[in-house]
Amino acid sequence: MKMKKYTASTMALAMKKVEQDLGDDAIIVSSKVVYSKDFLGMFKKKSIEVIAGKEPVRKTTSVSIPAIDDSPKDAVLPNEHSEKINKELADLKSLVKTIQRQSVSYQYPDEYEEIIQRLEQQELNPELITAVGDELFQVKKNGNEKLAKEDYKELAKEELIKLLQGLPFGGLSYNKKYINVLGPTGVGKTTTIAKMAALAVLQKKKKIGFITTDTYRIAAIEQLKVYANLLQSPVEIVYSKEDYEQALVKFDSLDIVFIDTAGRNYREAKYINDLRELIDIGDNMENYLVLSLTAKEQDMTEIIDQFTEIPIEKFIFTKMDETISIGSMINLMVKYKKGLAYYTNGQEVPEDIEEATAENIVELLIQGD
């Protein structure tokens, strides 16, 4: 691949030079901000330096490298050679994409560089950042030179909402009786259930009850009993399958039953199996997975992967008030094609819980509090 360096005052002008010189299929290898100096050695002018290249068009000769899927019988090079070459080309393209993602904030003009940096700080997936940045670049490229930073911010919000399009948002449907709340230990699951239950009683005037399978922590049971007393609602503690079935019979006349499952290390499959043996995951049940925004995204991913056999309706993210980055929330929703019911931002019951929409999540991502 032949490489060439281009310098311009803005990224848009640099890209225009690349396009004019190398065409639409040029590959950007790297880009960075550089400064020219005056004769006194002082920094004088900021500019953008881009290194781009283009794979040369191969002329056909007596030796041809066939495509892997339909290589002709008279090909000079064996299949294993062509496979090796194709693999090397794929690795090269992957490396170029990695370089581009590492310098994503330098690939776009000043008008929305601040927005890109904000998304990076929020730890949004680089691929999603690139999708937003490319959309903004196309808007500018199409002649919208006079747009202000606020205009680009609104366009970024619109693009992020598009990325979430089709995912379910919002709280309880109130169409199903049993609300099964799942999640690892330490995410604030019991408090979150109390907030959801309080909304059901105070706003929807529903008759509710609680079932807890969290018999490993006495404090959790006592905490749930306190909330139940405040809401004047019954609680059943379940130790076995028989206890669970008896609790369902006792709560037959109630509108909504909240099930507080045991908080365990759900990266281990055996705990998922124990859960499935204890609770019947039926058609009249909504399942919500509670995750903490203070956890590492990789850890949350491992937990979600363990719940593939349980039909999770939506996520609930907690502890938003304890972190400065919420990009993982959107990353996981897009990756697993799961929506969002609620997010919580404090310990107060029932105040510190918000019903989620795509608009308010994107607003928090772009604007912050």
Side-chain angles (χ1 to χ4, degrees):
M1 181 186 294
K2 186 178 179 181
M3 302 292 181
K4 192 172 179 180
K5 185 189 295 184
Y6 299 86
T7 304
S9 58
T10 67
M11 188 63 188
L13 292 175
M15 292 295 291
K16 190 172 183 179
K17 287 184 179 181
V18 172
E19 186 177 355
Q20 290 175 344
D21 193 16
L22 300 180
D24 293 337
D25 54 349
I27 297 175
I28 305 300
V29 176
S30 67
S31 61
K32 63 180 180 179
V33 178
V34 297
Y35 297 88
S36 58
K37 298 180 180 179
D38 60 16
F39 69 96
L40 294 176
M42 303 293 289
F43 287 120
K44 185 178 179 181
K45 186 178 180 182
K46 172 183 171 182
S47 58
I48 306 296
E49 180 182 283
V50 173
I51 296 177
K54 183 178 180 180
E55 294 184 12
V57 179
R58 299 181 182 272
K59 296 181 179 180
T60 56
T61 62
S62 58
V63 178
S64 61
I65 301 176
I68 295 176
D69 293 335
D70 56 350
S71 56
K73 294 180 181 179
D74 58 346
V76 177
L77 294 179
N79 281 344
E80 61 184 67
H81 289 176
S82 60
E83 288 176 4
K84 183 178 179 181
I85 291 171
N86 279 318
K87 184 179 184 303
E88 289 175 351
L89 287 173
D91 290 344
L92 177 61
K93 290 178 180 178
S94 177
L95 177 62
V96 169
K97 287 182 179 179
T98 301
I99 294 172
Q100 289 176 319
R101 288 170 187 161
Q102 288 174 344
S103 59
V104 67
S105 63
Y106 297 111
Q107 294 182 15
Y108 305 105
D110 293 342
E111 288 89 339
Y112 50 88
E113 183 178 3
E114 184 179 313
I115 299 171
I116 300 299
Q117 289 177 346
R118 167 72 182 178
L119 298 181
E120 286 180 326
Q121 291 165 1
Q122 290 294 304
E123 299 181 5
L124 193 68
N125 189 304
E127 292 184 2
L128 301 182
I129 296 176
T130 300
V132 174
D134 287 352
E135 179 65 23
L136 299 183
F137 180 77
Q138 287 300 321
V139 170
K140 185 174 177 64
K141 184 180 177 182
N142 291 337
N144 297 285
E145 298 287 342
K146 295 182 180 180
L147 290 178
K149 286 185 178 181
E150 287 302 316
D151 296 322
Y152 281 111
K153 190 174 289 187
E154 291 304 315
L155 289 170
K157 291 178 186 177
E158 291 176 10
E159 184 61 22
L160 285 165
I161 290 172
K162 285 181 186 177
L163 293 174
L164 297 173
Q165 195 168 13
L167 301 180
F169 282 88
L172 301 181
S173 68
Y174 296 101
N175 293 326
K176 297 184 179 181
K177 180 171 182 175
Y178 301 103
I179 307 301
N180 190 22
V181 185
L182 310 157
T185 183
V187 297
K189 186 158 46 63
T190 302
T191 304
T192 301
I193 289 174
K195 293 174 182 178
M196 296 164 65
L199 294 177
V201 172
L202 299 175
Q203 295 182 358
K204 301 295 182 178
K205 311 301 180 185
K206 299 293 185 181
K207 292 190 297 180
I208 70 162
F210 298 96
I211 293 175
T212 179
T213 69
D214 194 356
T215 57
Y216 302 94
R217 297 183 305 140
I218 296 175
I221 295 175
E222 294 304 316
Q223 182 186 18
L224 190 61
K225 283 182 177 179
V226 169
Y227 292 132
N229 288 334
L230 290 172
L231 296 171
Q232 299 182 351
S233 302
V235 180
E236 286 293 322
I237 303 169
V238 168
Y239 295 91
S240 64
K241 181 75 170 180
E242 291 74 20
D243 290 342
Y244 176 74
E245 291 174 350
Q246 289 174 11
L248 297 187
V249 173
K250 289 181 181 179
F251 289 165
D252 183 60
S253 62
L254 299 181
D255 299 318
I256 302 287
V257 177
F258 291 91
I259 304 172
D260 186 7
T261 57
R264 307 300 294 272
N265 179 10
Y266 285 119
R267 284 179 293 181
E268 297 186 31
K270 66 177 182 178
Y271 294 125
I272 303 291
N273 295 331
D274 291 345
L275 184 66
R276 289 174 60 86
E277 288 178 6
L278 181 62
I279 297 174
D280 291 323
I281 309 296
D283 293 336
N284 199 23
M285 179 179 289
E286 291 180 358
N287 301 287
Y288 296 89
L289 180 58
V290 182
L291 299 166
S292 170
L293 286 169
T294 59
K296 295 178 181 178
E297 185 172 329
Q298 184 177 352
D299 291 339
M300 290 191 280
T301 297
E302 290 185 15
I303 291 167
I304 297 168
D305 287 339
Q306 293 292 347
F307 281 93
T308 53
E309 298 300 317
I310 295 178
I312 301 297
E313 303 289 330
K314 301 166 190 169
F315 294 133
I316 297 173
F317 286 102
T318 61
K319 304 187 180 183
M320 184 179 284
D321 56 312
E322 298 180 24
T323 182
I324 60 173
S325 62
I326 62 171
S328 58
M329 181 163 55
I330 292 179
N331 296 341
L332 295 173
M333 291 164 60
V334 172
K335 178 177 180 178
Y336 290 98
K337 295 181 173 55
K338 299 288 184 183
L340 184 60
Y342 303 97
Y343 58 89
T344 72
N345 49 12
Q347 294 296 314
E348 295 297 321
V349 178
E351 292 85 357
D352 295 335
I353 187 170
E354 297 289 340
E355 190 167 343
T357 67
E359 289 75 15
N360 62 22
I361 292 301
V362 168
E363 183 72 19
L364 285 167
L365 187 76
I366 296 288
Q367 297 289 143
D369 291 337

